[in-house]
Each structure stands twice: as C-alpha cells, then as structure tokens.
Amino acid sequence: MLSKFSAALAATLSLAASAAIAGGADYAFEPVNAQMKKGDDVTLSVRLTNKQTGKPVADAVIFKTRVDMAPDGMAEMESAVAPLPSKEPGVYAFRTDLPMAGRYQVTLSAKVQGESETVTGKVIVTATK
C-alpha cells in the first residue's frame, strides 16, 4: 500500500515540478492572418499560445511592440503600433501602418500571469498590394 502511495506522490511532485519550471520559451506568438493588404490603420492580430497545452493564453500584458521591415532588410522602416481591444481570448490586436508591400516583423514582449520570465516573440506578416 505504501508503494502505491509513494508512486502517486512521486507522479504528483513530478507534474508540479514540470509546471513550476515553465518559462518564457513555453509560449509562442503566431499571426492570426499572415497576409494582409498594405495600407494605413491596418489591424494586425497575433495569438499567444502555451506550447505545452496548445491553448490560447488570455490576459497576458503586452508591454512592448515593434513593427518593422527587418525581414526585407529595412529594419529602419518602423511603424507606430497602438493596441486594440481583444475580441477573442488569447488574441491580441494592434493598429499599425503597413505602407508598402513586403514582409513585416512584429516583435512582442509580454508578461503572462504566473510566469516570472518575460515572453518574447517575433512574427512575420506579409503586406500585399
């Protein structure tokens, strides 16, 4: 009887330990739409998911965003970014300008509840004519 209890306790502690060591690398940003039309006041949305569970992460605090054309060798082509209200858990929307066709890099930093590490990510979207 004691060995069953010991095995159950070990399994529980193992699960707790793996949850406790989760960090910023356990999350990923991905574009909701990887392709959109170029223009001013474009709504760009990204989804934040937990890599281990595959579930969206709601209520993260995005505290740093940057949109530029680094993938096309023009990192200096930066656009202003303004947050928009979220319409879906785990989806974070922003208003920005994508003035020319090409690839844009969205760099994000976020705090996720219960995580001590900052979650950072880069997402590539393509603006078309």
Side-chain angles (χ1 to χ4, degrees), residues 26-120:
D26 293 320
Y27 299 90
F29 287 101
E30 59 189 34
V32 172
N33 294 313
Q35 200 167 60
M36 59 200 64
K37 290 205 178 281
K38 72 179 180 94
D40 295 337
D41 291 332
V42 173
T43 298
L44 192 150
S45 298
V46 296
R47 181 175 291 109
L48 177 60
T49 56
N50 181 313
K51 290 180 185 178
Q52 294 177 348
T53 65
K55 293 182 180 179
V57 178
D59 301 324
V61 177
I62 310 285
F63 65 89
K64 186 176 178 184
T65 55
R66 177 183 165 99
V67 174
D68 61 44
M69 291 193 77
D72 284 347
M74 295 181 278
E76 69 282 353
M77 289 278 299
E78 182 179 356
S79 294
V81 183
L84 294 171
S86 180
K87 295 180 181 179
E88 183 182 336
V91 174
Y92 301 88
F94 306 92
R95 178 170 289 129
T96 191
D97 296 335
L98 304 177
M100 59 190 289
R103 294 176 299 158
Y104 289 82
Q105 178 173 275
V106 184
T107 306
L108 304 124
S109 295
K111 284 292 186 183
V112 173
Q113 290 182 358
E115 291 294 339
S116 60
E117 292 181 18
T118 297
V119 175
T120 58

